[in-house]
Each structure stands twice: as structure tokens, then as C-alpha cells.
Amino acid sequence: MLRQSWDADVIVVGAGPAGSSAAADLARRGHRVLLLERESFPRDKVCGDVLLPSLQKPLSAIGTSLDILAGDAATIHGCGFTTATNIHATGTFRDRQGNHQPWRILPRVLFDERLARHAERCGADLRVRHSVEEVTWDQQKQVNIVTVRNRSSVNNYHAPLVIAANGAFSRFGQRSGLHQPRNSNRGYSVALRTYVQYPQQERIFEVFADADLKRGCCWLVPGPHGMANVGIGTFDSPNRPTRTNLESIFRKRIGQRVNLDGCAPMAGWLLPGPCLTRRTVTDGLLLVGDAAGFVDPFTGHGIHTAVSSGLLASTASHHALLSGMFLHHQMPLRSYEKAWRKAFGVDFVLGRLFQRLHHDQRLLDKIMLHAAHNHLWADEVMSIIGHALPRSSVMRPSLFSRIIRSQLSNRGADQQRMSGPAA
Ligand SMILES: Cc1cc2nc3c(=O)[nH]c(=O)nc-3n(C[C@H](O)[C@H](O)[C@H](O)COP(=O)(O)OP(=O)(O)OC[C@H]3O[C@@H](n4cnc5c(N)ncnc54)[C@H](O)[C@@H]3O)c2cc1C
């Protein structure tokens, strides 16, 4: 098929953070991009609204920044963690050099539209209320046929490449060769959230564990305009609580902290789990963001990986278009899989490990007890939780020796307490 008869070089399905970033980058590289979005803006997305500082780099690569997109966001500087046994520790997000790495908090209803409009300004053809129903690969002509519903009309568009950025429920992820490995237990995590009035000045992210919530936590994220984003999330587990259980744990834990009277009903969503062996490309198609399962298995954050994977997919698509190689086993699309594994692999593996450790309430109590008595340790722990320090920091011998030293000193203090005051 001749290039002139394509409707676009790349069709991007979904204008969330992953799709808009891919579309912006491809348009900046001079490609014809159709960015199809099922909803119309402004549209909400169930989220904790946390924009991590690590978004700065991929955003600047597509010609924008956190200051431009989220200049009016609230900022929070650290994390307060309360364990199920009510041990409480607070620390500040700092990088290795000791610099503050604050989070920005901006409702997705604002952030997503701003990023999509940026993609439009870069030259992508953004079409809202366009729902992609089907993507079929024509092997002979080496082109995708994309069936799109817009109100009552249905049209077919042709493009050699499709980037599926349509979120956690992506049905294109089920296309042949792209489903999750059969023996994988990397299912979905579940989260519910709502907004409450929060006039307090305290600007930290608060996390609450609970004995009834074996693998998960409740959160409170102070946002702009005197509101806070509050919610509960539970990791993928064989004995997942029901929605009613989750809401009652949420009311018990967060209700102690803020007044929940009159807050809007909780909205729920699924968070896909990443899997390093998962296939994310097939002929003429790449999966990005939640559609590929790129959500941090420990914190549930996925906007930064959505934007970064959008960029990586855009680079691969650019090379595919230059070389005319659109098949999954050819170098350009294969390079995308290599690139995301390199970029996210360590974080995903360690995130999964932290998720398991989080399950161990006694260990959590110990870590938070040390943190409650040692602010350096508290900053280190909260900075790892807050993505300000790389996850690999936990491998540092200095950190291990600090854990052992503080454990020994705690044990000494316990023994002294048990043997009573000196005569
Ligand atoms: C409760 C909760 C809290 C979270 N908190 C955070 C947080 O604080 N920080 C963070 O970094 N991450 C958070 N995440 C994860 C984050 O929301 C996702 O990782 C992120 O939204 C992924 O972006 P995306 O572009 O891949 O998908 P999405 O944001 O889901 O965007 C997909 C887009 O595709 C569109 N679409 C879907 N189907 C079609 C179709 N057929 N045709 C056309 N368009 C379609 C949708 O309308 C949507 O606009 C949270 C998730 C949950 C559930």
C-alpha cells in the first residue's frame, strides 16, 4: 500500500498520558499522527493525582514540562506512614544529593487534557468521541485497518502502525500473541478513590496500613483548592476483599483522619500488573502505558511509565517508518521491547518484592519503628517509597548495615526496658 493512501503514519488509540506523549513525539518528528480518544475533554480518570518528579525528563523530551502542565498543582514534600499497629513515621522525599524531590498533585481532569492539547499543538490530529472498535492487520498490504465509531457513524482508517494506549482494559492487548502468559499470576490490583475537603496545611502524602487489609493501604493526598484525594488500594491477591469490605476499611482508617460526611461516592478502577515476559508488540502494533501493564507494582504509580513508554514506542515507530519494517520480529519493533525492559525492569522486579514485604506486618512495624526514631532513616525509607531514591538503593551495603545497627540498638533498648530501671 502506498504511503499516500494511508490515513496516517501512526494511529494512537487513547489520549491518556501514554497516548498523548507518543502522539506529541511522533508529530514533532514530522509524522502524520491520528490521536483517537473515546471520551471528550475534560474527562476524569480515577487516580491518586500524583505527578512524580521523574516525569520531568520525558516531558521535556516532548517539548513541555511539569511547570507548563502542572504549574498550579499542589506540592507535597514527604510521606507519613502509619502501620496497622499505629506506629507512625514521617520522612521527606530527597534524592542522593539530599535535594528535595517534591510531588505535584493535580487532578487528572486537568492534567490529561493539557497533555492532549500539547500533542495537538505539536501537530497530532486529536479527535475526541472517536472510539476504536477493532484493529485488524492486513498482512498482504502491511497495514492496519482501524474501525472507529464516532457517534452513529463507523469508519475505517488505515495506518501501518497503531500504538494502543487505551488503558487498563485494553482489548487490543488480547490480540494474538499479546495476551499475558498463561501461568502468570500478575493480575489486576483494585483501587477506590474520592475527594474530601482538606483545609489543613500539612502537605505530606499519608499512608495507612490496616490489619484487615492484608495486601494494600489507604491514602490521603492533599491536593490544590483545599481538597484531598483519598482512597484505598489492594494488590492482586487470591483473597481479594469485596468492594463493601474495602469501603468499610477505608471509612475506618481515613474516617479517623478527615470528615467523610458528604463526600462523593467512591469511584473504582483496576491497576494492571507488569510482567517482564509479556509481549508488547505484534505486527504493526505496540502497547504502551496501562495497556501494556506498566504500573508500579508497589506504589500503583503509572503516569511516569505511561509517558516514558509513549516516548519509547514513538522512537521505535519512527525507526519502523524510516525503514518500512513493521513486523514484530524486525528490529524497530523488537527494539521497543528491549528498551522498556531496560528502562523499567529493575523497578518492576524490586516493586514486586516490596509488595511482598509490605504484606509482612511485623517487618513493616520494625522498619517504621526505626524510622520513627531516626529521621535520616525515615527520609531514606520515604524517599524510596516516593521514587526520589532509586529502588536499587535498598541493595546498598550502607543501608543494610544501618538496618542491622539500628536493629541491634533497638534490641539493646528492649532488653534494658525488660530488665527494669537500674537500681
Ligand atoms: C485509584 C488509582 C490511583 C492511581 N494513582 C496514581 C497516581 O497517583 N500517580 C500515578 O502516576 N499513577 C496513578 N495511577 C495509575 C495511572 O492512573 C495510570 O497508570 C495511567 O493513567 C496510565 O495512563 P495511560 O495513558 O496508559 O491510560 P489511561 O490514563 O487509562 O488513558 C487511556 C485513554 O484511552 C481512552 N480509550 C480507552 N478505550 C478507547 C478506545 N477504544 N478508543 C479510543 N480511546 C479509548 C480512554 O478514554 C483514556 O483517555 C492510579 C491508578 C488508579 C486506578
Side-chain angles (χ1 to χ4, degrees), residues 50 52 103 205 271 294-296 299-305 385 387:
V50 173
L52 295 173
W103 288 1
F205 168 57
L271 293 100
F294 295 155
V295 177
D296 188 289
T299 60
H301 291 143
I303 301 173
H304 61 306
T305 36
I385 293 176
H387 301 257

Side-chain angles (χ1 to χ4, degrees), residues 17-18 21 55 58-59 62 111 115 302-312:
S21 309
L55 268 165
L59 287 178
I62 56 169
F111 179 76
L115 191 53
I303 301 173
H304 61 306
T305 36
V307 171
S308 300
S309 63
L311 259 172
L312 297 174

Side-chain angles (χ1 to χ4, degrees), residues 24 28 62-64 69 113-122:
R28 280 161 58 89
I62 56 169
T64 184
L69 298 175
E113 176 166 16
R114 291 175 189 175
L115 191 53
R117 298 289 172 218
H118 173 72
E120 204 173 23
R121 278 192 297 279
C122 291

